[in-house]
Amino acid sequence: MNAVRTGLEKDLALAVTRLREMGGAGEVEDQLPVGSNSIFDDVDRVQVEQSRDMNLLTRSRLVEKVRKLSAAIQRAESGDYGTCAQCGEAIQPARLRALPEVETCVGCQELIERSARRNAVVCGMSFARSGLRPFIARACRPASTGTVGRCPS
């Protein structure tokens, strides 16, 4: 179990380092001059906004990974690492090697994702009709859930 914990701590350190290296989201925006005399056109501004949005999404995913890795380390300390949080069965070793921070077995994760797709609502529109991916649906959750609290549309 010490090897598992060491691997989790290494992954956690890498994720935290990546977060620190990302710097501020406004770095690119600061490069664009504001005003009517600007040589930058609307396309440049759109590219900057897309870059900022990707940076925010990447940062959000890294923060979530750090949270999951920290929880996995706690489970390793308590002896619960490798046990599905939903059904209590052992998580397959191959799944743990691929996703060491995972807390559910494949079967339970499939049920969770299927349920989320059926029940997801994006800005008052059902997920199935919206054509948006699940990460957009997560972005619309209220801030109290610990995820992004603003609607992307």
Side-chain angles (χ1 to χ4, degrees):
M1 193 55 77
N2 283 338
V4 169
R5 182 186 163 101
T6 302
L8 290 168
E9 288 173 346
K10 180 182 170 187
D11 289 347
L12 178 62
L14 287 171
V16 168
T17 300
R18 270 194 75 202
L19 266 173
R20 287 185 180 139
E21 289 173 351
M22 288 184 69
E27 289 176 359
V28 178
E29 287 177 328
D30 294 339
Q31 297 174 9
L32 286 180
V34 180
S36 58
N37 294 334
S38 172
I39 61 170
F40 295 98
D41 60 8
D42 290 338
V43 173
D44 294 320
R45 284 186 180 77
V46 167
Q47 288 175 339
V48 167
E49 287 180 23
Q50 286 177 336
S51 176
R52 185 194 65 227
D53 290 347
M54 287 303 296
N55 189 11
L56 290 172
L57 181 60
T58 301
R59 181 180 297 275
S60 173
R61 288 182 177 174
L62 280 171
V63 167
E64 183 67 14
K65 185 170 183 87
V66 165
R67 186 196 64 73
K68 287 181 178 183
L69 285 167
S70 296
I73 291 170
Q74 289 177 350
R75 286 193 309 277
E77 289 173 353
S78 69
D80 293 331
Y81 182 78
T83 302
C84 178
Q86 297 292 315
C87 68
E89 296 293 321
I91 300 172
Q92 299 82 354
R95 179 166 170 78
L96 289 171
R97 280 191 301 275
L99 300 165
E101 69 274 12
V102 75
E103 50 188 271
T104 55
C105 65
V106 172
C108 289
Q109 188 63 38
E110 286 176 355
L111 289 173
I112 291 168
E113 290 176 7
R114 222 176 293 137
S115 176
R117 279 192 295 269
R118 272 194 308 265
N119 299 326
V121 175
V122 179
C123 304
M125 184 186 330
S126 75
F127 173 75
R129 289 185 299 135
S130 72
L132 298 175
R133 296 200 165 128
F135 74 88
I136 298 293
R138 284 194 302 269
C140 287
R141 288 187 196 154
S144 63
T145 63
T147 58
V148 178
R150 70 176 178 88
C151 179
S153 60

